[in-house]
Amino acid sequence: MLLTLALVVGLAAAYAATQESSYTARSVVLLKPVPGSPLSPEVATTSGTQNTIAMQTEARTVTTPAVAALASEDAGRLLRDEDGELAVRVLDATQTLEIAYTSDTPENARSGAQAFADSFLAYRGTAATELQESRIEGLESQAESAQQSLRDAADGVGGFAQQQVQLFTDRLAQLNANLSAEQVVSTDPGTVLNPAEEPTAPDGVPSWLLLALAAVVGAVLAVLAALLREWRQDVVRSEEDFSVSGLPVFASIPRVRHKHDEEGLAHVREAFRQLRAGVVANCARPHVLVVSGVGKNPQSLVVPNLGISLADAGYSVLVVDADAYAEGLHTALGVEGRPGLSDILGRNELFHDAVRSVHGIDVLPIGHDPAGIRDLQGGPALRELVDRVRSDYDYVIFNAAPSGTADSDAAMSAAESVLLVVVDGQTTRAQIEAALDRQRHLGIVAAGLVNVRRDAGMALALPPTEAPVDEPTPATHANA
């Protein structure tokens, strides 16, 4: 989960670091109908559709090279292509345009937007004035020509001359009316409603907000990934699984915060009483039982607690440490780790010299040569030892290496059944199936499962009235 969160936040930080800051300033201009422009007086008084088309054309006019040249001259630098980006849009089907200019600094953005607004209005005004002057000049020329024609007709004689005088008189009157109308047409291009102002913040999402959003998204993705992982793993759960792959779950060992957590230890003792009931019901005494974990599990503390619980019920118990991978039962039980099993199998010690008694159980630790036991227990010596001590104890419990190893196979082969230890929320059903399949091929019987919390922090669950043992007593069921 933390890796997913760190990855998302890191990508967001890298993206924010590589982005160059840009600023956008906006200016709003109100256009007035002027002669010669798309928004002419004639168009402004027609339908809304024609007016909308005219305003879109005006917006495109702002982006023409002619207006850009005027804006660059006004701003004192080359705008648009090299300096920034220009965007123009019509505001809500009105006769107003929003001119937005984006640049690398707030000052350049403001000056660019204002330069385009002023230059566009100046361009419209100049074009309208030139067109009006051209029209007035043409009308004046036509009026002079009509005046001359009228004088020539007035000098003529006859009825035909009178008709020409009337015709040219009407023509001159119409031209004068047109000239008067043209002279009063406004060439005001419009006004800047909202001058451009310097932007106070860069464009886009602020870096702090981007990182905050990335953290939220990363947390959500991490949770989803964890849920997906748990779902795909199909792990064993104590609150849901009372049997797995056909095997009963005898007990679920709860969490213990520390060795002085009396409430937690009381729950642990109760869980081992449940485990004891499952073992007694399924393993007729005398019985040789191997306890082996599926994966890296704390079976080293399951074994002594189970042994103590059986002894509390009046059963005679021998606990044998045969796990060369772990720290050893002798550390948990507070006894010497040597001599032990490796010394007996190597014929260097006798059984009664290696076994110790503590907390009501007999303990056979790993011995002087934990590594050497890996080969010794694969031979006949381990079976001979089991045959020799089996009748002297109700239960002989082996603390074996993790399931699937050659060491655990050897210990299981010398026993009558196996108790598998799984970790709540961590051990998968696939792992259990693989362990059971291997045991079936070896002819090993699985008695059941015990589920241990991943954060159990399990301690030796001794009765609260029992005092610590400083010196181990002699073995109570030693068989010379």
Side-chain angles (χ1 to χ4, degrees), residues 57-134:
T57 305
E58 293 279 9
R60 288 192 292 270
T61 304
V62 182
T63 63
T64 58
V67 176
L70 291 175
S72 298
E73 183 179 354
D74 185 17
R77 67 183 190 279
L78 188 60
L79 298 180
R80 192 178 176 185
D81 293 335
E82 296 183 5
D83 181 78
E85 298 180 359
L86 175 68
V88 185
R89 68 185 183 97
V90 181
L91 296 180
D92 301 327
T94 62
Q95 292 182 4
T96 55
L97 295 178
E98 180 189 73
I99 300 175
Y101 192 77
T102 302
S103 188
D104 56 349
T105 65
E107 296 81 5
N108 288 345
R110 188 210 63 80
S111 62
Q114 191 63 43
F116 269 100
D118 294 338
S119 299
F120 172 59
L121 292 178
Y123 176 80
R124 292 186 83 239
T126 300
T129 300
E130 290 177 354
L131 179 60
Q132 185 183 50
E133 292 175 351
S134 176

Side-chain angles (χ1 to χ4, degrees), residues 296-307:
K296 296 180 179 179
N297 300 319
Q299 74 270 10
S300 60
L301 283 174
V302 170
V303 170
N305 279 301
L306 174 59

